[in-house]
Amino acid sequence: THVNQFNSDRYSLTFTHSVVELSGGPKTVPVLPSLEIIVWSACLAFVFYQLQQAIYSRANYLIAIIAALTTVFFTIYLAAAQYQILFWLSAMQTYLTPLVLATFLFGCLILIARSPKFGILYALGLGLLSFFASGFSETTGLWQFGCWNMLLAWALIFRKRSGFARNAIRPALILIGSVALSLVIMAICPANYTSRQNFTHLGFIDLIGQSISYGAGFIWLALKGTPLPFLVVVLLGFFASIIRGPKDELNVKNLFVEILNVILILFVLTVVTILPSMFATAHYPGDRALLPAQFTLTICLFILGWKFAELLSAFRPNGFSADKEVKIAFPEEI
């Protein structure tokens, strides 16, 4: 009977809501869950294929598909607000859509870093898409900011030893700058002033301390509450690593460092996911806002399974080789 006024700092969310309404509204929404799942799976397959090319100089389509489907299926299956992020437009576009776009951005960054050429069109495309992807919510925006900063830190550390790392510095800087601009725009939006007056706010030390505590609690309770699905994720990563075939020379010390780094990345990105809600409302985030943390946990466990297989191969070279002679003893016939 009347028009509600809508004020939001999430400019990309406002835009995509308008696009959905103009493209059919209730007729369009039922198609979006399947579309999001298919596109996300394709983007993750693209990422895993590019990673194999960058790390191992060769790629296996089967491994890329297994990794992509494992990540998408278990992220959505174990999501705390599964029905909201898939079937409620406000939650789907706020938390799921930016993860799909960020996945595609990561694949593009790897593709660009594998090539020595980096033109103005690549920079412009990365910047605009990143600015759009980070404008859906503060939670997913800050999560992306954490991802690109850690990627930049890795590139700076290994720039002298790897041309791939060196080539990744400029794209990472563009992504960081775009996300930072997006977060500033959302922070200074006048719509925030009224909403923030309705909540109490924590001091800096309490904010960081409680976010770290809640981040550790999220990981522990997720693993404790649903151990079997997460074990399946680890095993699928383990077997995907075996499928890749014989490994190059593996250094046990480096593998231990990589495993610790994956655990650190998991913890940092989980804390980053919780931080915006703690800052804005001093409360633990709602279930739907935990989707980036769930995605991080799933993909990190898959990578840990992959690394465990490599670690076992380092201790026992050719332990998974199919070229070994196998002797089978049959019982004598009676």
Side-chain angles (χ1 to χ4, degrees), residues 6 10 25 58 165 167 193 199 219 228 231 239 248 285 316 319:
F6 178 71
R10 300 169 174 179
R58 58 186 182 275
N167 292 339
Y193 298 145
F199 298 97
I219 297 172
L228 184 57
L231 177 61
F239 289 119
D248 301 327
R316 189 183 177 187

Side-chain angles (χ1 to χ4, degrees), residues 217-239:
F218 170 82
I219 297 172
W220 168 248
L221 291 175
L223 296 176
K224 180 182 177 182
T226 51
L228 184 57
F230 285 121
L231 177 61
V232 173
V233 173
V234 174
L235 290 177
L236 285 170
F238 185 91
F239 289 119

Side-chain angles (χ1 to χ4, degrees), residues 1-281:
T1 57
H2 63 279
V3 177
N4 288 323
Q5 297 299 321
F6 178 71
N7 298 298
S8 174
D9 58 337
R10 300 169 174 179
Y11 53 89
S12 297
L13 185 64
T14 304
F15 173 76
T16 52
H17 271 20
S18 301
V19 171
V20 171
E21 289 297 326
L22 293 173
S23 63
K27 296 180 180 179
T28 302
V29 173
V31 181
L32 295 181
S34 298
L35 183 63
E36 294 266 5
I37 291 172
I38 293 170
V39 173
W40 200 13
S41 300
C43 290
L44 277 166
F46 171 57
V47 166
F48 283 113
Y49 182 85
Q50 292 298 327
L51 281 174
Q52 291 181 79
Q53 290 281 17
I55 298 173
Y56 305 111
S57 300
R58 58 186 182 275
N60 185 311
Y61 285 105
L62 177 61
I63 293 176
I65 293 172
I66 289 174
L69 295 181
T70 298
T71 305
V72 171
F73 175 80
F74 283 98
T75 297
I76 296 176
Y77 174 68
L78 296 170
Q82 183 187 89
Y83 294 102
Q84 289 187 9
I85 63 171
L86 278 181
F87 305 116
W88 183 30
L89 186 65
S90 294
M92 179 203 305
Q93 291 193 334
T94 305
Y95 301 106
L96 180 57
T97 301
L99 293 187
V100 176
L101 293 174
T103 303
F104 178 70
L105 277 169
F106 185 49
C108 291
L109 185 145
I110 300 171
L111 183 63
I112 291 171
R114 289 180 54 218
S115 172
K117 298 180 180 180
F118 184 64
I120 185 65
L121 291 179
Y122 290 120
L124 187 61
L126 276 180
L128 290 176
L129 185 56
S130 177
F131 181 74
F132 178 70
S134 53
F136 284 90
S137 73
E138 301 83 355
T139 299
T140 54
L142 192 62
W143 180 84
Q144 292 176 64
F145 188 71
C147 290
W148 307 141
N149 272 281
M150 285 190 286
L151 180 64
L152 177 62
W154 169 84
L156 291 174
I157 291 172
F158 292 97
R159 68 186 185 281
K160 294 183 178 179
R161 287 184 280 175
S162 169
F164 174 73
R166 210 162 36 246
N167 292 339
I169 293 176
R170 286 185 294 174
L173 286 172
I174 291 173
L175 293 176
I176 291 171
S178 298
V179 177
L181 179 60
S182 172
L183 292 173
V184 169
I185 289 175
M186 287 191 287
I188 64 177
C189 178
N192 287 330
Y193 298 145
T194 302
S195 61
R196 289 197 63 191
Q197 292 176 359
N198 299 326
F199 298 97
T200 58
H201 301 284
L202 299 173
F204 179 77
I205 296 177
D206 290 335
L207 173 66
I208 300 300
Q210 289 194 26
S211 297
I212 291 174
S213 175
Y214 285 147
F218 170 82
I219 297 172
W220 168 248
L221 291 175
L223 296 176
K224 180 182 177 182
T226 51
L228 184 57
F230 285 121
L231 177 61
V232 173
V233 173
V234 174
L235 290 177
L236 285 170
F238 185 91
F239 289 119
S241 181
I242 295 174
I243 291 172
R244 199 184 71 82
K247 309 294 188 295
D248 301 327
E249 293 185 5
L250 296 171
N251 187 291
V252 174
K253 180 181 178 181
N254 290 342
L255 286 172
F256 273 116
V257 172
E258 290 172 3
I259 289 172
L260 291 175
N261 284 336
V262 172
I263 295 173
L264 177 63
I265 289 171
L266 167 61
F267 181 70
V268 170
L269 289 181
T270 302
V271 172
V272 164
T273 302
I274 293 172
L275 196 59
S277 295
M278 293 298 300
F279 175 76
T281 65

